[in-house]
Amino acid sequence: DHRIIQGAESGSFLRTIDGSLRGEDTFYADVFGALQATPAPEVPAPPSAMAGIGTAAAGYDDLKAVAAGMALVKAYRNFGHKAARLDPLGGEPLGDPALDPAPLGLNSDNMARIPAELMRIYVPGATLAEALPHLAATYCGTIAYEVEHIASHEERVWLRHVIESGEHAPPLDAEAQRNLLARLTRVEGLERFLHKAYLGQKRFSAEGLDTMVPMLDRIIADAADAGAGEVVIGMAHRGRLNVLSHIIGVSREAILAEFEAGRASDPMAPKGGLDDVKYHLGAEGEVTTADERTVRVALVPNPSHLEAVNPVVEGRTRAAQTDRSTPVAAVDHATVVPVLLHGDAAFAAQGVVAETFNLSRLAGYATGGTIHLITNNQVGFTTSPAEGRSTDYSSDLAKGFDAPIIHVNADDPEACLAAARLAMMYRHRFGNDVVIDLVGYRRYGHNEGDEPGYSQPQMYAAIADHHTVRELYRDELVAGGVVGADEAAADVKAVA
């Protein structure tokens, strides 16, 4: 870990370093012992050189390699996300030169002599050479992390340990994988039915971000395990029908009635089908988790589009967390968990997001950590990210509020569950906000009445040829022998 040393403290620090370099303690013996290298007898140095440094060339090279190895580990932790495979549509990551060991003077030989223990890393491998592929897979796969901006040393160390050890990403057994596939099938099936039955009607489908539903399943289950009795959700329109149906439990009949109302000839009939969106009103239900825990789940009304619901969710959550039965009201943040689903363009652009974040650690407003899930379809209405914000990621705003950021490819459902699990682990441990940047796409443009090929022709050419996450995951499970060919055929029929 690194921090700025200044003021009176800097003199003491420099004196300690100078003494170590002069050989006043066991610094060299410790380093060469760890490297299993033997320093040559000291050679008198010129007056201008630092005393005590005279070592054999090989030992000095090993010392440089250790320093280079530490720089490489730091680069992966800080910039590994820039080389991660986050775009389901196959866009090439930018990468970062700092992730290349060669300019640092590192090669397979000297990395094989560096004990992984010296690097303070938690991935498998006894040496840096053995650990490096695991480090790259951890930070540059379909899930990536930005946590090094966090001011708290304790939080940074905890996050590094959990991320690099894989504690948040235990392998799913065959039954869990089949259940996940079934969940994705139901999510896609609802959207496909609505698209066929009500072609051209606006519904702002979840397709391309289907994994938001199993991620909410994971968040709710983990909230229940941590003692919560309620989860309060706020979101705009993208994917809301699926959340109402599969998370809250709103009946299919009620959802279809919103579409059919637009066809009614009676002027007094509900006109939901003629509205811009059909699901501004909220809904509440109960979810029973796999281990038979019951959690009340509320989707808060959002009559205004996008992020206006954020402070409403936080206020409702704080009120529900407050026990006023005693003379001095007590607040228990564990009892209710707030979850906010954001659009990527809206998260970066709307000031209410920053205003709500600014309340997150104030004693009178804190809710013990909000799970922010950015449903990132990589375009805002018809605006590309490069033309809509001045930051690399839509999530960059959150860095200013010390929130960890987890980026994940929406086409890797198991990685998505790991992201959700890490977010809940962090909230439970530290009680602060955390952001998941779920990178996907939108299959039918801003809404189902648009033709997105006019404004994003290359993106939508790629989407037209791109398999859904259900199809990709089904094929993966078939290849792994988890799902048989007959089950796969039934899966196709279910959403046909």
Side-chain angles (χ1 to χ4, degrees):
D1 188 45
H2 302 276
R3 63 187 180 92
I4 297 173
I5 298 175
Q6 56 187 350
E9 193 180 21
S10 62
S12 174
F13 172 74
L14 293 173
R15 183 164 57 252
T16 301
I17 293 298
D18 183 64
S20 295
L21 294 176
R22 290 178 181 276
E24 292 178 0
D25 51 25
T26 62
F27 173 72
Y28 291 109
D30 292 344
V31 171
F32 286 109
L35 292 171
Q36 298 180 345
T38 303
E42 293 188 3
V43 178
S48 60
M50 291 182 293
I53 288 296
T55 62
Y60 181 63
D61 286 344
D62 283 341
L63 191 59
K64 288 198 302 182
V66 170
M70 295 176 70
L72 185 63
V73 170
K74 182 179 179 181
Y76 269 99
R77 287 170 170 168
N78 278 280
F79 308 116
H81 60 89
K82 298 181 73 173
R85 296 282 175 179
L86 300 174
D87 183 4
L89 302 178
E92 283 295 317
L94 295 175
D96 193 287
L99 304 176
D100 184 359
L104 295 170
L106 293 171
N107 54 53
S108 57
D109 290 336
N110 57 19
M111 285 194 292
R113 295 198 300 273
I114 300 174
E117 181 183 8
L118 285 180
M119 302 292 100
R120 294 185 179 179
I121 52 181
Y122 309 100
V123 295
T127 67
L128 179 58
E130 295 174 358
L132 186 58
H134 298 288
L135 201 66
T138 295
Y139 286 105
C140 305
T142 53
I143 183 170
Y145 313 89
E146 291 186 273
V147 302
E148 295 299 317
H149 59 277
I150 296 174
S152 167
H153 172 77
E154 179 188 3
E155 292 185 23
R156 289 196 306 273
V157 172
W158 182 87
L159 283 162
R160 290 171 192 160
H161 180 271
V162 173
I163 290 166
E164 293 173 14
S165 69
E167 183 180 343
H168 64 305
L172 299 187
D173 60 27
E175 182 181 3
Q177 289 179 317
R178 286 193 292 268
N179 289 340
L180 178 53
L181 176 61
R183 193 62 159 160
L184 292 172
T185 299
R186 289 192 290 272
V187 170
E188 184 179 320
L190 174 63
E191 298 290 1
R192 284 200 178 189
F193 171 78
L194 293 176
H195 190 64
K196 289 181 178 179
Y198 304 102
L199 183 64
Q201 285 203 41
K202 296 178 182 180
R203 59 191 167 90
F204 298 96
S205 82
E207 290 164 283
L209 292 163
D210 312 54
T211 43
M212 75 167 74
V213 172
M215 290 174 79
L216 288 173
D217 290 336
R218 180 75 267 158
I219 289 168
I220 292 167
D222 288 353
D225 288 344
E230 183 177 5
V231 173
V232 181
I233 301 174
M235 65 185 298
H237 41 279
R238 179 74 55 202
R240 191 172 177 112
L241 284 176
N242 236 300
V243 171
L244 284 168
S245 174
H246 291 116
I247 299 296
I248 308 298
V250 174
S251 69
R252 306 293 194 279
E253 291 82 1
I255 290 174
L256 296 181
E258 290 292 327
F259 286 87
E260 293 292 342
R263 300 180 178 180
S265 58
D266 184 352
M268 299 302 293
K271 61 181 183 64
L274 300 179
D275 287 344
D276 178 34
V277 287
K278 304 168 177 60
Y279 31 80
H280 278 148
L281 295 179
E284 298 184 13
E286 288 189 347
V287 172
T288 302
T289 65
D291 55 359
E292 300 301 319
R293 298 175 188 267
T294 300
V295 182
R296 186 170 185 80
V297 182
L299 181 62
V300 176
N302 190 11
S304 179
H305 277 190
L306 309 177
E307 306 297 329
V309 75
N310 295 0
V312 179
V313 167
E314 302 298 342
R316 173 170 175 161
T317 299
R318 175 62 182 236
Q321 292 173 345
T322 304
D323 179 3
R324 299 179 181 82
S325 63
T326 58
V328 179
V331 178
D332 185 352
H333 294 317
T335 58
V336 186
V337 176
V339 180
L340 289 173
L341 279 69
H342 310 267
D344 52 317
F347 189 89
Q350 290 196 254
V352 68
V353 178
E355 293 165 355
T356 305
F357 262 104
N358 197 49
L359 301 174
S360 63
R361 300 196 187 200
L362 302 184
Y365 300 88
T367 55
T370 298
I371 308 301
H372 299 268
L373 178 58
I374 299 176
T375 54
N376 187 345
N377 51 41
Q378 304 190 69
V379 61
F381 193 15
T382 61
T383 306
S384 65
E387 296 171 327
R389 62 174 184 261
S390 298
T391 59
D392 289 337
Y393 297 109
S394 59
S395 57
D396 283 343
L397 165 75
K399 291 180 183 177
F401 298 94
D402 262 5
I405 299 167
I406 309 162
H407 305 281
V408 64
N409 187 319
D411 270 4
D412 186 342
E414 294 190 22
C416 290
L417 294 188
R421 187 179 289 108
L422 177 58
M424 289 302 294
M425 290 171 67
Y426 175 82
R427 182 195 191 266
H428 181 62
R429 177 67 179 265
F430 297 107
N432 295 324
D433 288 27
V434 58
V435 175
I436 303 172
D437 178 22
L438 178 64
V439 184
Y441 58 93
R442 57 185 196 195
R443 186 157 289 275
Y444 297 110
H446 180 65
N447 64 60
E448 291 68 27
D450 293 337
E451 174 43 69
Y454 288 134
S455 53
Q456 273 80 30
Q458 292 180 328
M459 172 183 278
Y460 278 88
I463 290 173
D465 294 332
H466 189 71
H467 290 291
T468 67
V469 62
R470 174 194 62 83
E471 293 168 335
L472 295 171
Y473 193 54
R474 177 202 64 203
D475 293 346
E476 179 184 333
L477 297 190
V478 169
V482 176
V483 174
D486 291 343
E487 288 181 86
D491 169 33
V492 172
K493 184 177 180 181
V495 295

